[in-house]
Amino acid sequence: MPRGPKKHLKRVNAPDNWMLDKMTGVFAPKPRAGPHKFRESLPLVVIIRNKLKYALTYREALMILMQRLVTVDTKVRTDLKFPVGFMDVVSIEATQESFRILYNVKGRFQLHRIDSSESSFKLLKVKRAQLGPGGIPFISTHDGRYIRYPHPDIKVNDVVKLNLENGKIEDHVPFAIGNVVMITGGRNLGRVGILHDIEKHPGSADVAHVEDLAHRTFATLSSNVFPLGHGSKPLITLPTGGGVKLTVLEQKR
């Protein structure tokens, strides 16, 4: 038996949020190990070929990347299987386009078009905040970054606004009641609303209660909540609909 992780992925086993058709082939590109988890990422070839339709085949997408025209978070990426995940900024130099990877209210990946001013930063959720070797404080974020000497007010579950040009933290959004948030996991994946309450359950998972713009309330795990901004104003632009999930009848109107 071969050793190590599997390097192949059957198309029918690919994550649903990639929106790949199952009749085009047998296999799908499997993301390499990188800043995002396998089920929470999207290979770069799927973005170029299936989402943006800039290539018809795998080989055409390879030729586009080898011209060093595509950047992820301002860094040139030439690997077709590089994992791109939530909040990443994908820019294409030849077309002067920039996209932020978000979720829509159906839980699928969405390439949200942004302008040049917004493509210079991204939001990062803090996963750890502790002291490293030599007593140096650091935080680790949801995309695998380690940032040393953060502000003492930055805690776990907070969100920091990172300047992609110089790697400095420009702002931070606390995980607090009254702030606008997006859900990044569970049945309410992709919904946006105002955080209303946090139920503390010592020894178990905390539960967050959120109310969207349509005044519908729902509950989810606190670990699924991603703060977007102070109060009701997010730091980033949101896709059409503002993260409000409509019922079947509302969609027909």
Side-chain angles (χ1 to χ4, degrees):
M1 292 292 290
R3 291 179 293 178
K6 295 182 190 297
K7 296 183 179 180
H8 297 79
L9 175 67
K10 288 291 183 69
R11 207 170 184 88
V12 294
N13 295 328
D16 293 336
N17 52 22
W18 292 9
M19 296 294 292
L20 292 181
D21 51 341
K22 64 180 182 179
M23 300 301 291
T24 303
V26 176
F27 292 97
K30 183 174 183 178
R32 299 197 195 281
H36 297 278
K37 294 180 180 180
F38 162 54
R39 290 271 163 192
E40 298 172 3
S41 62
L42 196 64
L44 209 47
V45 61
V46 174
I47 294 177
I48 300 297
R49 182 186 62 185
N50 300 77
K51 301 292 184 183
L52 298 177
K53 310 288 187 184
Y54 285 156
L56 294 176
T57 63
Y58 188 95
R59 184 165 179 79
E60 285 183 8
L62 176 64
M63 287 189 278
I64 291 174
L65 293 183
M66 284 304 173
Q67 295 179 62
R68 304 179 69 83
L69 300 174
V70 180
T71 61
V72 178
D73 294 342
T74 69
K75 290 189 177 182
V76 174
R77 300 295 180 183
T78 58
D79 185 3
L80 282 170
K81 297 180 180 180
F82 180 80
V84 181
F86 182 65
M87 281 294 166
D88 284 356
V89 176
V90 179
S91 301
I92 303 174
E93 180 184 346
T95 59
Q96 300 296 316
E97 291 178 313
S98 295
F99 303 91
R100 190 182 301 280
I101 308 298
L102 297 175
Y103 292 109
N104 62 16
V105 292
K106 294 187 177 181
R108 298 163 184 161
F109 280 116
Q110 179 172 358
L111 273 67
H112 176 57
R113 193 183 300 269
I114 55 178
D115 56 22
S116 58
S117 61
E118 194 179 339
S119 64
S120 63
F121 70 89
K122 69 181 294 190
L123 302 183
L124 304 172
K125 185 175 181 179
V126 179
K127 292 293 188 180
R128 282 197 299 163
Q130 60 191 62
L131 297 178
I136 297 176
F138 74 92
I139 59 173
S140 66
T141 61
H142 80 278
D143 68 343
R145 295 174 190 260
Y146 285 82
I147 304 173
R148 304 202 311 167
Y149 298 107
H151 194 281
D153 291 342
I154 298 176
K155 308 295 182 185
V156 175
N157 290 333
D158 289 356
V159 162
V160 297
K161 178 182 177 182
L162 184 78
N163 188 313
L164 295 174
E165 301 295 335
N166 54 29
K168 300 293 181 64
I169 296 176
E170 295 181 339
D171 192 8
H172 108 273
V173 182
F175 179 68
I177 294 174
N179 287 343
V180 59
V181 299
M182 176 177 274
I183 309 304
T184 58
R187 291 188 59 196
N188 296 299
L189 179 62
R191 296 180 71 176
V192 176
I194 304 295
L195 183 61
H196 266 220
D197 187 29
I198 303 172
E199 287 183 19
K200 297 289 186 179
H201 295 278
S204 183
D206 295 342
V207 177
H209 294 267
V210 182
E211 181 179 347
D212 63 11
L213 294 177
H215 304 293
R216 300 190 184 99
T217 59
F218 56 92
T220 186
L221 297 177
S222 293
S223 58
N224 294 335
V225 176
F226 192 105
L228 293 179
H230 303 279
S232 59
K233 187 175 182 180
L235 296 176
I236 62 172
T237 57
L238 296 175
T240 305
V244 177
K245 189 171 186 178
L246 303 177
T247 63
V248 177
L249 291 177
E250 288 173 337
Q251 291 177 12
K252 290 183 177 179
R253 291 172 186 165

